[in-house]
């Protein structure tokens, strides 16, 4: 029976909607299993999605939320260059450029393929892999310093790889073997998606599938509009800043959220102009971040498709740091994306205090090591983004040592890192007192120290929340700040150099290393109202020091357990 608001019956819509999501998830697993580089096969820095013939998102696998930014414009970019009449069964298109191919930064290479059934275009299957290749291309002052720019191009034509184009791409990569393995895995993942989408059309019939897809989008829109009603109508402003070892002055970010009867408006008017730095966001990166943040706040289980976007209006003036135009650099845009989520959460805290969290660790901070591998004689690059503390919420402590918000990568296992690179992880531990004190404590940050085993290596880090600590809410205190240190073989410790040198140009020899100390999450509520048994448990587990227990949480010194030392801090 067809209900009001549906073109087909709701049960069929649910079945087909879940089938589409299942196809995207299976594509993602195939990509990870087939990939060559550690960044995809171990850290899972990749995503998959399915689109309808018009380029509307139908399903996105639960991988990396910010990758939606690279998906939002990819089909549109392909169709601008290649009309539907020119698409052929077996074609596949490649692109990464944020200004010409719908991407958000150059390491994220997208492959999308049209899917035909009985001679008719029924959609696109798409995947993205983060290719950690370029390690000394410049200072990140404009897009041309950040790597190879690829517009929307036909990489596979009627089932055959265009070897000339592939050769051109690989010739401009510093690690071509890794790139070739990754691109082949992406092609294979899309071919799997094509097969599964055709099977879905065979099982249910093409017209039923197409009707159900539109029903799914309309249903998601209705559900999102209903979910937004948990936010009272009103105007909610907030400000925060983005600091970094790369920047001499922090970037001040401004947001005004307006909830009205039509939906919700996120207005970034007042944000500064784009600058000669890599923290600029193009519009699709900003949109993806906003969609993610609102979804998590009002209905985390809502289907991840284009219907979700319809009630949301984003105002981001062109030429600003949240809607940059060519030739702005964008390589580190995820740092800014993370801060945009903090803006949205901070703005809506007075409206929905039981749904928001205090600020998370606030960054997508990274370390990078590159050089010539002494055992193979070939160039190598190890790059990893590291997590930190999760912000506390109104009924629970924050999680410790995790990736947060728009990034969702795994850490690279120590065994894989040390097996692949001439590096040694000498320290990897949570940091006492790093979580912001509160009735509910912020999650703990951690330190990861990596040293060179042999050869000469160049290293660097991209960090944030150095001065602007992750804020707490409703009396909660901020989490600990972030820092990076150069540790020498002789035991000396040096601060991370500022600017481009600190990002990739620190010379390290055997025994030297780099330590990244990540931020904790902010606390929620007055720490002196935290239940005493929780404070004592934190003390016994080394999560807080005696000093913090007494000064921040108000514990009577006579309550300190005898087995707890006065110096159980680290980091």
């Amino acid at each position: 029976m067809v209900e009001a608001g549906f073109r087909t019956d709701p049960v069929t819509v649910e079945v087909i909607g879940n089938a589409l999501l299942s196809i995207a998830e299976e594509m993602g697993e195939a990509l990870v299993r087939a990939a060559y580089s550690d960044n995809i096969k171990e850290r899972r820095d990749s995503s998959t999605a399915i689109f309808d013939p018009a380029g509307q998102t139908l399903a996105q696998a639960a991988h990396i939320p910010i990758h939606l930014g690279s998906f939002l414009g990819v089909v549109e970019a392909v169709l601008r260059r290649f009309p539907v009449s020119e698409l052929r069964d077996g074609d596949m298109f490649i692109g990464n450029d944020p200004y010409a191919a719908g991407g958000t930064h150059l390491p994220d290479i997208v492959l999308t393929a049209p899917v035909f059934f009985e001679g008719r275009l029924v959609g696109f299957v798409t995947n993205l892999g983060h290719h950690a290749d370029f390690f000394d291309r410049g200072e990140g002052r404009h897009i041309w310093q950040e790597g190879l720019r690829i517009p929307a191009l036909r990489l596979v034509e009627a089932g055959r790889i265009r070897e000339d184009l592939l050769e051109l791409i690989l010739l401009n990569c510093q690690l071509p073997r890794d790139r070739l393995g990754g691109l082949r895995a992406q092609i294979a993942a899309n071919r799997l998606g094509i097969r599964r989408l055709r099977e879905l059309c065979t099982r249910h019939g093409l017209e039923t599938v197409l009707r159900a897809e539109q029903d799914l989008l309309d249903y998601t829109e209705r559900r999102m509009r209903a979910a937004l009603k948990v936010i009272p109508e009103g105007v909610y402003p907030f400000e925060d800043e983005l600091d970094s070892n790369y920047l001499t002055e922090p970037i001040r970010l401004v947001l005004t959220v307006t909830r009205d009867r039509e939906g919700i408006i996120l207005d970034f008017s007042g944000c500064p102009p784009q600058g000669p730095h890599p923290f600029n966001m193009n519009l699709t990166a900003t949109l993806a971040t906003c969609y993610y943040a609102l979804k998590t706040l009002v209905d985390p289980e809502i289907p991840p498709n284009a219907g979700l976007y319809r009630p949301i209006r984003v105002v981001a003036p062109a030429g600003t740091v949240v809607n940059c135009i060519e030739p702005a650099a964008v390589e580190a845009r995820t740092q800014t994306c993370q801060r945009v989520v903090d803006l949205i959460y901070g703005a809506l805290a007075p409206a929905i205090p039981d749904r928001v969290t205090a600020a998370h660790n606030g960054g997508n901070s990274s370390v990078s090591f590159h050089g010539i591998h002494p055992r193979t004689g070939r160039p190598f690059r190890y790059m990893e983004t590291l997590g930190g503390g999760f912000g506390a919420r109104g009924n629970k402590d924050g999680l410790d040592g995790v990736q947060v918000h728009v990034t969702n990568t795994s850490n690279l296992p120590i065994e894989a890192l040390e097996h692949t690179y001439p590096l040694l992880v000498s320290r990897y531990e949570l940091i006492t007192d790093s979580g912001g004190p509160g009735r509910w404590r912020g999650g703990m940050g951690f330190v990861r120290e990596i040293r060179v085993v042999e050869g000469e290596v160049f290293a660097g880090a991209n960090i944030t929340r150095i001065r602007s600590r992750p804020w707490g809410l409703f009396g909660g205190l901020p989490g600990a700040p972030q820092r990076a240190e150069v540790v020498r073989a002789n035991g000396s410790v040096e601060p991370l150099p500022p600017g481009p040198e600190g990002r990739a140009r620190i010379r390290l020899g055997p025994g030297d290393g780099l330590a990244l100390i990540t931020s904790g999450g902010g606390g929620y509520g007055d720490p002196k109202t935290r239940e005493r048994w929780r404070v004592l448990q934190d003390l016994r587990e080394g999560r807080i020091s005696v000093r913090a227990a007494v000064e921040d949480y108000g514990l009577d010194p006579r309550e300190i357990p005898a087995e707890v030392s006065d110096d159980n801090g680290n980091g």
Side-chain angles (χ1 to χ4, degrees), residues 52-334:
D52 73 4
Q56 297 184 99
T57 311
L58 295 172
Q60 181 184 3
H63 295 154
I64 315 295
I66 185 54
H67 288 169
L68 174 62
S70 293
F71 288 155
L72 285 173
V74 62
V75 174
E76 178 184 342
V78 168
L79 294 178
R80 277 200 308 267
R81 192 181 187 103
F82 303 94
V84 172
S85 60
E86 296 182 12
L87 303 183
R88 297 291 181 267
D89 189 14
D91 285 353
M92 207 170 297
F93 300 87
I94 188 172
N96 72 346
D97 192 78
Y99 305 112
T104 61
H105 78 163
L106 300 183
D108 288 347
I109 297 180
V110 178
L111 265 67
T112 187
V115 182
F116 291 88
F117 182 77
E118 297 178 349
R120 183 173 172 184
L121 178 66
V122 297
F124 292 81
V125 293
T126 305
N127 70 66
L128 178 155
H130 182 115
H131 293 257
D133 190 273
F134 308 110
F135 43 78
D136 56 1
R137 290 298 178 99
E139 300 183 359
R141 297 178 64 84
H142 50 70
I143 189 69
W144 295 292
Q145 291 181 319
E146 296 189 315
L148 176 64
R149 300 178 64 184
I150 308 172
L153 298 175
R154 198 187 320 249
L155 177 63
V156 181
E157 189 168 11
R160 295 176 62 87
I161 297 175
R162 290 185 54 197
E163 296 294 342
D164 55 349
L165 176 57
L166 182 61
E167 183 178 352
L168 175 64
I169 292 171
L170 296 178
L171 190 62
N172 283 278
C173 293
Q174 291 171 292
L175 303 171
R177 294 173 72 249
D178 287 18
R179 302 294 73 77
L180 179 59
L183 292 173
R184 284 174 171 169
Q186 289 183 255
I187 291 170
N190 272 355
R191 285 174 172 165
L192 173 64
I194 292 169
R195 186 163 70 250
R196 293 288 186 259
L197 190 54
R198 285 174 174 164
E199 290 171 356
L200 183 67
C201 292
T202 299
R203 186 178 309 119
H204 295 280
L206 174 58
E207 294 302 328
T208 298
V209 170
L210 294 177
R211 288 196 304 268
E213 289 174 352
Q214 299 311 305
D215 281 338
L216 179 64
L217 299 182
D218 293 343
Y219 162 73
T220 302
E221 177 186 0
R222 294 193 299 271
R223 182 166 166 178
M224 187 63 179
R225 290 188 185 279
L228 286 171
K229 292 179 181 178
V230 303
I231 303 173
E233 292 187 14
V235 178
Y236 307 100
F238 198 76
E239 296 185 11
D240 204 343
E241 67 178 31
L242 173 68
D243 57 3
S244 169
N245 57 303
Y246 188 92
L247 299 168
T248 56
E249 294 292 333
I251 299 170
R252 194 71 184 169
L253 299 172
V254 180
L255 170 67
T256 300
V257 178
T258 302
R259 172 75 177 94
D260 58 25
R261 286 177 290 180
E262 299 300 318
I264 194 165
I265 303 170
L266 284 70
D267 189 348
F268 292 91
S269 298
C271 284
Q274 64 191 55
H277 53 71
F279 302 100
N280 304 293
M281 301 165 63
N282 68 346
L283 181 59
T284 56
T286 300
L287 293 176
T289 304
C290 293
Y291 299 154
Y292 156 82
L294 290 174
K295 179 181 187 293
T296 60
L297 289 175
V298 303
D299 188 351
E301 301 301 321
I302 198 167
N305 62 52
L308 181 153
Y309 322 149
R310 294 173 182 171
I312 303 169
R313 180 186 171 202
V314 177
V315 179
T320 63
V321 71
V322 291
N323 183 8
C324 62
I325 57 177
E326 192 172 5
V330 293
E331 191 270 334
R333 89 289 189 221
T334 308

Side-chain angles (χ1 to χ4, degrees), residues 269-449:
S269 298
C271 284
Q274 64 191 55
H277 53 71
F279 302 100
N280 304 293
M281 301 165 63
N282 68 346
L283 181 59
T284 56
T286 300
L287 293 176
T289 304
C290 293
Y291 299 154
Y292 156 82
L294 290 174
K295 179 181 187 293
T296 60
L297 289 175
V298 303
D299 188 351
E301 301 301 321
I302 198 167
N305 62 52
L308 181 153
Y309 322 149
R310 294 173 182 171
I312 303 169
R313 180 186 171 202
V314 177
V315 179
T320 63
V321 71
V322 291
N323 183 8
C324 62
I325 57 177
E326 192 172 5
V330 293
E331 191 270 334
R333 89 289 189 221
T334 308
Q335 297 279 40
T336 318
C337 294
Q338 299 285 53
R339 196 68 82 256
V340 166
V341 181
D342 287 343
L343 284 175
I344 296 170
Y345 275 45
L348 292 176
I352 46 174
D354 58 330
R355 290 176 176 258
V356 300
T357 66
H360 295 1
N361 66 75
N364 188 36
S365 297
S366 63
V367 292
S368 176
F369 293 75
H370 69 269
I372 303 298
H373 201 303
R375 290 187 293 251
T376 66
R378 290 194 294 263
F380 77 90
R381 186 194 185 197
Y382 157 66
M383 189 284 297
E384 182 169 8
T385 58
L386 301 176
F390 200 93
R393 66 203 83 175
N395 61 355
K396 191 176 292 186
D397 293 340
L399 299 173
D400 301 322
V402 293
Q403 291 281 10
V404 300
H405 289 322
V406 299
T407 183
N408 193 35
T409 54
S410 302
N411 72 326
L412 181 61
I414 293 173
E415 297 83 358
L417 189 160
E418 295 180 346
H419 174 75
T420 307
Y421 307 106
L423 303 171
L424 173 74
V425 178
S426 55
R427 191 179 177 199
Y428 194 20
E429 60 191 52
L430 296 171
I431 304 170
T432 299
D433 286 341
S434 55
R439 179 176 178 83
W440 299 101
R441 178 183 41 77
M444 301 168 71
F446 60 83
V447 56
R448 187 164 167 107
E449 182 178 292

